[in-house]
Amino acid sequence: MSVSKNNVLPPLIVIVALMLTILVMRGPITCVGALADEIISALQIGYPAYGFLSALPIICFGLFCAVAPTMSKRYGLLLTVLICLGLILAGTLGRLIPIYSVMLLATGLIGIGIAILNVLMPVLLRDYFPKNIPLVMGVFTGFIGFSGSIGAYFSVPLLNASGSLQISLGLWVLMVGLALLLWFLSPRGKQITVSGGVFEWALLKKPLTWAVIFVMGMQSLTIYTTVAWLPTILSTLGFSASEAGLGSAVFLLVSAPASILTAAFIKAVGGERPASLIMTASFAIGIVFWLFGGTWSFVGCVLAGIPQGITFSMAMILMAKKTNSLSQLLVISSLAQGIGYVLAGFGPFICGLLYQGDGQWLSVVGFMLCAVALWGLSAWYAFGDRKLFD
């Protein structure tokens, strides 16, 4: 990787463009869960079809993240970011057409754009803020959570105020368009490129590799399954659509400060292994509390939301600790995100198959608890003394 060594803060317009770009990296996905019933009605589809629709962008995360280094090398990182935002803009526009096949295509474009941004945005941030990497990465993961909470919470109020599903989905057309505009108005810097290491098939024979993959994949599966189905779960428990969206927003919003405090939390509890055990227990208790109804459901959203912020940061820390160089980190990051997000994409779809539309959620909750347990076991094993590369 080559990055600039400029220590001067970028212009304000660039900082705002960066912030807006991060804010469109989760919201266009999480808004779908908050609008689940309206989307199912508008498209005249069943729960399995909705489950596939909500799983599609996460599957795209896994399938297309490996494209990022190649695109950056060919076009430069800034132009690649613009291309990604263009894909997201096309997708958000396409979702305004209430036809299932069009919605699938549009959602796929959104997923591809965000998949590439997932890999390249940390590189861009490192280039612009070379002296503040820990802080900037913490803020980055925090804004990711904030982006998701915007999609989860504001979708239903917009729907209620306008009476139009297109208005709720159209919020993201505006935000992506504004991000693109600011990048076009921003001063041009040097071209930033990313070069990756060499993939070794022997990596897939190592149990540690799969532990790292499951750490990345299961935390992704739990968060995206939650944002896809939590509003529906809460609605069947008697919550209004706005209250159900608020629960999902709380789940995502508390993850933002938690992610920033990950390093302090790990130090306070004495290491990554005890941290992973505590986070596994917290998430599992939170999931069970969802079904209690009333205030307990919101307590569950908090107990599950805090681990989401911390487990995402722990996955990033794990990949860094298990490699010896930046090229090795790029290899395992692409591998873990690629396979991990594909695994994660099955979560919302499997829940769509398990749920029978009868308000009974035990099978879905059981599936979620298994995923959380697998994350905990994988993290406990992966955070040992072993290295991925000799």
Side-chain angles (χ1 to χ4, degrees), residues 11 21 43 80 94 110 119 121 133 140 150 178 191 210 222 245 315 334:
T21 301
L43 300 180
T80 303
I110 293 171
V119 178
M121 278 304 292
I133 294 173
F140 169 65
I150 293 174
L178 184 56
Q191 177 168 303
W210 287 99
T222 51
S334 296

Side-chain angles (χ1 to χ4, degrees), residues 6-20:
N6 181 16
N7 296 332
V8 179
L9 286 176
L12 179 60
I13 190 173
V14 173
I15 295 176
V16 177
L18 287 167
M19 293 171 60
L20 277 173

Side-chain angles (χ1 to χ4, degrees), residues 121-145:
M121 278 304 292
V123 179
L124 189 61
L125 290 169
R126 178 173 175 173
D127 181 75
Y128 278 122
F129 305 95
K131 294 297 183 180
N132 300 281
I133 294 173
L135 175 62
V136 169
M137 292 306 169
V139 172
F140 169 65
T141 55
F143 261 73
I144 288 285

Side-chain angles (χ1 to χ4, degrees), residues 257-268:
S259 64
I260 298 174
L261 297 173
T262 299
F265 170 71
I266 291 173
K267 183 178 180 180

Side-chain angles (χ1 to χ4, degrees), residues 14-97:
V14 173
I15 295 176
V16 177
L18 287 167
M19 293 171 60
L20 277 173
T21 301
I22 298 171
L23 286 178
V24 301
M25 288 177 61
R26 291 297 182 271
I29 298 172
T30 59
C31 70
V32 172
L35 300 169
D37 291 338
E38 290 75 16
I39 290 174
I40 290 171
S41 176
L43 300 180
Q44 297 182 336
I45 57 176
Y47 284 106
Y50 165 74
F52 179 74
L53 176 68
S54 59
L56 181 59
I58 301 96
I59 295 174
C60 289
F61 285 5
L63 295 177
F64 290 93
C65 67
V67 176
T70 302
M71 287 187 64
S72 176
K73 185 176 181 180
R74 180 170 182 178
Y75 301 113
L77 194 144
L78 289 176
L79 180 55
T80 303
V81 168
L82 292 178
I83 293 172
C84 292
L85 288 173
L87 290 172
I88 300 171
L89 179 61
T92 53
L93 283 168
R95 288 198 308 192
L96 303 181
I97 302 173

Side-chain angles (χ1 to χ4, degrees), residues 91-269:
T92 53
L93 283 168
R95 288 198 308 192
L96 303 181
I97 302 173
I99 300 174
Y100 185 62
S101 58
V102 176
M103 184 76 82
L104 286 177
L105 176 61
T107 302
L109 291 176
I110 293 171
I112 294 170
I114 296 176
I116 301 170
L117 288 179
N118 282 338
V119 178
L120 295 187
M121 278 304 292
V123 179
L124 189 61
L125 290 169
R126 178 173 175 173
D127 181 75
Y128 278 122
F129 305 95
K131 294 297 183 180
N132 300 281
I133 294 173
L135 175 62
V136 169
M137 292 306 169
V139 172
F140 169 65
T141 55
F143 261 73
I144 288 285
F146 185 50
S147 169
S149 68
I150 293 174
Y153 180 66
F154 285 100
S155 298
V156 173
L158 278 175
L159 176 67
N160 292 337
S162 65
S164 170
L165 180 63
Q166 280 70 28
I167 295 296
S168 292
L169 296 175
L171 169 66
W172 299 101
V173 177
L174 178 63
M175 292 188 66
V176 179
L178 184 56
L180 267 172
L181 176 62
L182 289 179
W183 278 119
F184 279 118
L185 296 177
S186 298
R188 295 291 179 266
K190 59 172 279 186
Q191 177 168 303
I192 313 163
T193 59
V194 181
S195 59
V198 179
F199 172 73
E200 301 172 9
W201 284 103
L203 282 173
L204 293 178
K205 299 179 181 179
K206 296 182 178 182
L208 180 57
T209 301
W210 287 99
V212 174
I213 290 171
F214 282 127
V215 168
M216 183 68 201
M218 291 304 101
Q219 72 86 22
S220 300
L221 182 148
T222 51
I223 188 172
Y224 290 112
T225 302
T226 299
V227 298
W229 286 101
L230 180 57
T232 304
I233 292 174
L234 297 181
S235 294
T236 61
L237 294 175
F239 289 82
S240 68
S242 295
E243 291 170 338
L246 176 61
S248 188
V250 168
F251 167 79
L252 291 163
L253 192 58
V254 298
S255 70
S259 64
I260 298 174
L261 297 173
T262 299
F265 170 71
I266 291 173
K267 183 178 180 180
V269 300

